Structure formats: C-alpha cells, structure tokens
Amino acid sequence: MSQTIKLNLGCGPVQPKGWVNVDGSIRAKIASKLNWLDNLLVKLRLFPETEFNKETRVLNLLRPLPFPNDSVSAIYAGELWEHLKLSDAVKLTAECFRVLQAGGVIRLVVPDGIDFWSKYLAIFNEEVKLPIEERSSTRLSNHTAMFFRDICTERVLLKSVGHFHKWQYDEIQLSDQLRKAGFVDVARCKFHESRIDDVDLVERSDFLIVEGVKPGKPK
Ligand SMILES: C[S@@+](CC[C@H](N)C(=O)[O-])C[C@H]1O[C@@H](n2cnc3c(N)ncnc32)[C@H](O)[C@@H]1O
C-alpha cells in the first residue's frame, strides 16, 4: 500500500511524527492556533506543560472528517471511542470507512467493559453475603465513579475535553460496530501487534483492542 496519511484520532498527549495527530480539546486549539499565547501561559505557570503544538490537527470528531474518500492508509483511536455517545461513534466509524483506502486499517482501543463489570460483580457478591446491616454501598459506588465520574474530575483545567465516558464496550459490541460499517477481518488484537507497522508509536494502553480492514484491493 502506498504510504499516505495515518490518522491518530483523539491523540491527547500522544503525538508521534509520521501521524496526523488529531484532537478537539480547548487546549489543543490554543496550543495549535495561538502557540505564542500557550507558551506564555506555560511560562507564567498558568497552564501546565502540554504536548499539543502547532502541528496538532484540531478537529471536532463529532463532525465529518475533512479528508477525501479513500485518502488515508490507517486510523488509530486510543481511548477515544468511549468518550463518544454511541450514535456519534457509529457516525465516526462510517466516516473512517469513507476516508480509508481499500486495504486501510482501523484500530480502536477502549477500556474493556467486561473487566469493569466483572470487578463490579465481584464486589457486589462480597457485599451481598454480609448481613444487611453490615453491607455498604461505598465500594460499589467508588467503582462506578472510576468510570463515570473521576475521569472528569481528575483532569486539569484546560488540559482536555470530553472526559466523561459515554459508552462502554466489550469485544462483541466493538467488533460488531466495525463490521456493520463495512470493515472485514475484524478481530481482537494484542498490544502492539498490528497490521499497522509503527503502531507502537501511538499505542499506549493495553486494553480492549480491535482492528478491521476496509475491503478491496489497495491501489
Ligand atoms: C483519554 S484521551 C486519549 C489520549 C491518547 N489517544 C491515548 O491513547 O492515551 C481522549 C482524547 O480524545 C479527545 N476527544 C474527546 N472527544 C473528542 C471530540 N469530539 N473531538 C476531538 N477530540 C476529542 C480528548 O480531547 C482527549 O485528548
């Protein structure tokens, strides 16, 4: 396949060379479009250091991707999909299919809902065995908050947007989303094992990883 554009969607601080690193956060916008102001605010210690820079491509991924059909060879999205409403994720998957060339690869990494709910169930099963007056909801609510609340509150002001998780995936849901959009050879993958040769540059999290391919012969 000819080397064309590779998109790293929802890049956050992960911005290697050779990839178009896309993010929609306010901080990405300031660091990219008003780089002098961002540098000044960092110097004055009003902003924390950031990896966002002039090269960061600022896009709201809830909108159509500004790339022509069949123009992209690979798409990576690490810990982005769970920040989108399910309907928005379905739309973005269709957009990814449109911009990828035949033979192009999409790779999605999300926290695994099965791990999350298994732990929840384990805590519940411990609590429910206790006499009613000794049961406490604290561990269950703390666990729930890990996914739905703390993700937002732990972030530094202006560092990022879209912190709340809006959906939770498992292997079946995520694979099905890709297949329904038209992708083939959809399968769960191991960390850093990919059809994308320099995936190690963008992949930081060993969570649930699913990859698919746009069908057809590469030009
Ligand atoms: C949890 S971070 C993931 C960072 C990195 N990809 C990684 O694997 O560690 C999610 C990123 O997605 C970005 N994001 C969330 N919603 C977005 C949207 N609608 N448009 C563009 N970027 C978005 C956030 O700004 C944030 O930087």
Side-chain angles (χ1 to χ4, degrees):
M1 191 195 310
S2 60
Q3 272 303 308
T4 50
I5 301 168
K6 286 181 295 181
L7 302 178
N8 176 20
L9 302 181
C11 63
V14 189
Q15 307 202 28
K17 292 219 179 321
W19 287 78
V20 176
N21 299 302
V22 175
D23 206 278
S25 67
I26 297 166
R27 186 63 193 276
K29 206 176 263 182
I30 298 172
S32 156
K33 311 229 185 261
L34 296 169
N35 194 251
W36 62 271
L37 177 63
D38 197 89
N39 287 338
L40 181 68
L41 293 169
V42 169
K43 257 191 199 141
L44 295 173
R45 298 180 184 218
L46 294 172
F47 276 13
E49 297 270 357
T50 180
E51 304 290 333
F52 294 123
N53 58 68
K54 284 183 196 164
E55 309 299 322
T56 309
R57 186 78 191 264
V58 179
L59 294 176
N60 181 356
L61 295 167
L62 304 183
R63 303 219 179 102
L65 294 173
F67 300 96
N69 295 354
D70 313 315
S71 62
V72 168
S73 61
I75 296 179
Y76 179 84
E79 295 184 70
L80 169 69
W81 245 238
E82 71 274 16
H83 291 272
L84 307 173
K85 283 195 290 180
L86 183 60
S87 55
D88 290 326
V90 169
K91 280 188 207 151
L92 183 55
T93 309
E95 274 297 284
C96 290
F97 189 84
R98 179 184 67 75
V99 302
L100 273 170
Q101 300 166 337
V105 177
I106 185 167
R107 185 174 174 96
L108 306 178
V109 183
V110 294
D112 194 339
I114 296 302
D115 287 344
F116 181 83
W117 293 118
S118 302
K119 279 175 203 149
Y120 187 89
L121 194 59
I123 299 170
F124 179 86
N125 283 336
E126 282 176 26
E127 289 291 336
V128 84
K129 278 186 204 135
L130 300 172
I132 288 176
E133 59 283 2
E134 285 176 32
R135 287 180 197 167
S136 158
S137 64
T138 308
R139 285 198 304 151
L140 287 168
S141 57
N142 284 348
H143 189 76
T144 308
M146 235 171 44
F147 196 86
F148 293 101
R149 192 191 65 213
D150 292 353
I151 265 164
C152 169
T153 53
E154 280 175 3
R155 297 288 179 116
V156 179
L157 183 69
L158 284 181
K159 203 173 166 194
S160 194
V161 292
H163 317 316
F164 286 108
H165 285 186
K166 301 186 184 76
W167 200 256
Q168 202 169 50
Y169 291 92
D170 54 64
E171 183 179 340
I172 295 175
Q173 284 194 74
L174 197 60
S175 303
D176 204 37
Q177 199 177 93
L178 290 185
R179 280 193 203 101
K180 280 184 176 147
F183 290 101
V184 294
D185 291 337
V186 176
R188 187 170 189 156
C189 299
K190 289 192 177 146
F191 186 58
H192 284 185
E193 282 183 18
S194 175
R195 296 177 187 84
I196 304 169
D197 48 15
D198 59 351
V199 80
D200 52 313
L201 296 182
V202 279
E203 192 155 86
R204 294 271 174 96
S205 306
D206 185 6
F207 292 157
L208 167 61
I209 306 174
V210 171
E211 204 171 274
V213 178
K214 180 162 171 177
K217 281 205 172 137
K219 284 178 194 157

